[in-house]
Amino acid sequence: MCIRDRDIPAATQIFTPNWIVKYMVQNTIGRIYLDNNLYSSLAEQMKYLVEPSEPTPQEAKLVISDIETMKMIDPACGSGHILIEAFGLFYQMYQEEGYSRRQAVEAILTKNLLGIDLDTRAKQLAMFALLMAACKKDTYFLEANTLPRVLDMSGIPVLYDRMKNDLSDILLTKDNKVLNELMDAMKLLQQADNLGSIMKFDISEVTREIIVRRLAEYKTMGEMPIMIRNFLSAFRLILALTDKYAAVIANPPYMGKSNMNMELKEYTIANYPLTKFDLCTIFMDIALSLIKNKGYFAMINQSSWANKSSYNTYRLWLKNNANIATYLDLGSGTFDELNGEVVQSLCFSIMKTEATDGLYFNLSSASSSDAKNELFHSVKDQPYIFSLDSISKIPDYKICYWISKATLSAFLSGTAINQKYPVKKGLATGNDNLFLRLWFEVANKKIDYKCDKLEKQLNRWIPLCKGGGYRKWYGNIEYVIDWKNNGQQLKSYRDENGKLMSRPQNLP
């Protein structure tokens, strides 16, 4: 079933457990702040911060000269859960830097935090939540007339004949390159309520600078002219989605391509060829494009991108462009509103730098979010250490963080078994219900246990090693197969249309 654009917010919203939000915030903006403030005491308060296995060289860190320049965005913010947690941590940083309450709150809302969401109601809730958080820190903050920066897709001007001329008048430029870039952006913004934050704007730095400068000039005039107000939402979205951030944090929307409407599907195929299979992985593409070099992005996401063959090329591309710093393999049961084993989740922080050793934690054995939280604290000092760079030698480039050094060495230096020996399926009956029985369903005297050559069998049934799950003490020798007359009936078994269904191969 395809989801209509107006139903996308409701179809893709999932509430993020609070401990996971803390983990994402602390391992992005928390990590960056500590890298720039080696003597900070905030590390003691970040219970979900994962310390690197080796000290990070100074040249590998993102340098922040001023805390007010450390910008963070949530491009799918919902009602603001991640923004609220980030607000709290930023406030602690500002306190440590010696800012007053009012100075800290104003700087966080106007310089550090930015949220975007498709849904206007979600935007309103996020803004309200941030205002309440601000008032909790500064009782009289509302008197400052400062609003949080949370954007939605409303207020986009509809294309009209004179739009290019009006843009020229508003921005005081006759530069055709600038105006054509903006017209292309305005055309794309007509799909804003369907595409949201996955819109890609081909905007040069010159064009961005003109918009920024003109908006600043109009702001100093007091009340903005109505013409500029008509374009304000569009300009803000363009600037937000073409800026560079120290950190991107999100619980992105989950929607497979089979549920996308035609316009959304066509856009993702054209613009996100490696991650087009689900919106949640497309947002990984977006996040990496939004962060600065050596910046971080963190997400809770589905596990498909880490192991499915459809993402082979993406994993190899990711290895060449980023590094997984920390990684929680959550398995199922992370979200209370999602039952069953279908949704397998990951939570991770990724740095825009070359691949080095990352710290991986397997929390999949815990059956609920609370249990995973407890397990994380118990194994926090015992991570798997794995480099994303290693996947280039692993079949299908899968992220097999749990494999031993000896196994990894075999992958890196040895020859794959299938390069020397063809690996094939053995016997396929075409109808297991007809030809197979569990050993205890057949009289013992009718099973030939000692037959070493099939043509010499004495009894109708012979043992079959069919395989199965792990067993500590004994193998999965549970089945017997009907091999009467040297398997004559099985070898010639056909369906009602006369098609040969059985495939008894690799026979001795």
Side-chain angles (χ1 to χ4, degrees), residues 125-145:
L125 290 172
M127 292 182 70
F128 178 76
L130 283 169
L131 284 173
M132 292 301 98
C135 290
K136 191 174 180 180
K137 302 298 183 185
D138 179 7
T139 308
Y140 299 102
F141 173 72
L142 290 181
E143 296 177 1
N145 293 320

Side-chain angles (χ1 to χ4, degrees), residues 17-274:
N18 193 57
W19 73 272
I20 289 176
V21 176
K22 289 181 180 292
Y23 163 85
M24 293 192 292
V25 169
Q26 291 175 16
N27 286 284
T28 50
I29 60 173
R31 176 78 274 151
I32 294 169
Y33 181 78
L34 294 177
D35 283 347
N36 285 268
N37 296 270
L38 300 180
Y39 302 104
S40 171
S41 62
L42 287 185
E44 300 169 6
Q45 302 175 47
M46 297 187 208
K47 304 301 182 185
Y48 294 91
L49 180 71
V50 177
E51 293 292 352
S53 56
E54 299 287 342
T56 306
Q58 191 61 38
E59 63 272 14
K61 299 175 182 178
L62 176 63
V63 176
I64 300 295
S65 58
D66 184 339
I67 190 174
E68 292 185 9
T69 67
M70 185 162 67
K71 295 183 289 186
M72 175 236 135
I73 184 173
D74 181 349
C77 69
S79 55
H81 190 181
I82 292 171
L83 295 175
I84 293 297
E85 190 62 42
F87 175 91
L89 184 53
F90 268 121
Y91 186 80
Q92 290 178 289
M93 296 174 190
Y94 275 97
Q95 280 194 315
E96 192 171 77
E97 297 278 324
Y99 283 67
S100 70
R101 289 171 179 252
R102 175 64 58 85
Q103 289 172 331
V105 170
E106 285 193 19
I108 295 167
L109 295 187
T110 60
K111 297 177 180 178
N112 298 115
L113 293 183
L114 178 61
I116 303 177
D117 200 85
L118 270 178
D119 188 11
T120 299
R121 182 57 57 88
K123 164 199 167 178
Q124 293 167 344
L125 290 172
M127 292 182 70
F128 178 76
L130 283 169
L131 284 173
M132 292 301 98
C135 290
K136 191 174 180 180
K137 302 298 183 185
D138 179 7
T139 308
Y140 299 102
F141 173 72
L142 290 181
E143 296 177 1
N145 293 320
T146 299
L147 289 176
R149 295 185 304 157
V150 184
L151 310 178
D152 64 358
M153 305 301 141
S154 63
I156 305 299
V158 178
L159 284 174
Y160 56 88
D161 293 339
R162 282 188 47 82
M163 180 175 280
K164 189 173 180 179
N165 293 331
D166 287 345
L167 286 170
S168 176
D169 294 341
I170 290 168
L171 300 176
L172 305 180
T173 181
K174 299 294 184 182
D175 189 326
N176 264 327
K177 183 176 185 298
V178 170
L179 295 173
N180 288 336
E181 286 179 358
L182 285 173
M183 283 303 295
D184 288 342
M186 292 300 168
K187 290 174 185 175
L188 180 57
L189 281 164
Q190 304 307 301
Q191 299 186 62
D193 56 356
N194 191 33
L195 302 178
S197 293
I198 74 170
M199 290 182 290
K200 279 186 174 181
F201 297 108
D202 187 12
I203 297 290
S204 65
E205 195 57 39
V206 171
T207 303
R208 285 194 88 260
E209 182 56 35
I210 289 174
I211 297 173
V212 170
R213 188 166 58 247
R214 293 292 175 257
L215 288 183
E217 290 171 357
Y218 283 119
K219 189 174 181 180
T220 61
M221 295 169 55
E223 185 174 352
M224 289 189 178
I226 189 168
M227 185 177 290
I228 187 67
R229 290 205 305 269
N230 289 340
F231 285 91
L232 205 54
S233 293
F235 286 154
R236 285 173 174 167
L237 276 171
I238 291 169
L239 292 177
L241 292 173
T242 55
D243 205 354
K244 293 295 181 184
Y245 300 85
V248 176
I249 311 173
N251 177 4
Y254 293 11
M255 180 185 286
K257 65 178 181 180
S258 61
N259 288 328
M260 295 179 187
N261 58 58
M262 186 58 65
E263 293 80 8
L264 179 58
K265 184 182 295 185
E266 288 177 353
Y267 188 81
T268 57
I269 290 172
N271 291 277
Y272 301 96
L274 301 183

Side-chain angles (χ1 to χ4, degrees), residues 292-364:
K292 299 177 178 179
N293 288 332
K294 302 175 188 176
Y296 285 85
F297 79 86
M299 287 187 181
I300 179 167
N301 211 328
Q302 293 192 54
S303 64
S304 53
W305 67 268
N307 50 54
K308 281 195 173 181
S309 59
S310 51
Y311 290 100
N312 288 359
T313 308
Y314 175 67
R315 284 191 291 274
L316 190 59
W317 179 89
L318 188 65
K319 186 268 293 188
N320 293 326
N321 291 275
N323 179 56
I324 296 177
T326 67
Y327 182 101
L328 307 184
D329 187 350
L330 297 167
S332 60
T334 306
F335 299 103
D336 293 335
E337 59 264 55
L338 297 178
N339 298 318
E341 301 289 323
V342 175
V343 178
Q344 302 284 320
S345 301
L346 301 174
C347 190
F348 48 87
S349 61
I350 290 180
M351 189 179 185
K352 195 171 186 177
T353 186
E354 61 185 21
T356 56
D357 285 346
L359 304 180
Y360 294 68
F361 302 87
N362 188 350
L363 310 182
S364 60

Side-chain angles (χ1 to χ4, degrees), residues 421-427 503 505-506:
Y421 310 101
V423 181
K424 298 179 180 178
K425 184 176 181 179
L427 186 149
R503 192 175 56 170
Q505 57 189 20
N506 296 336

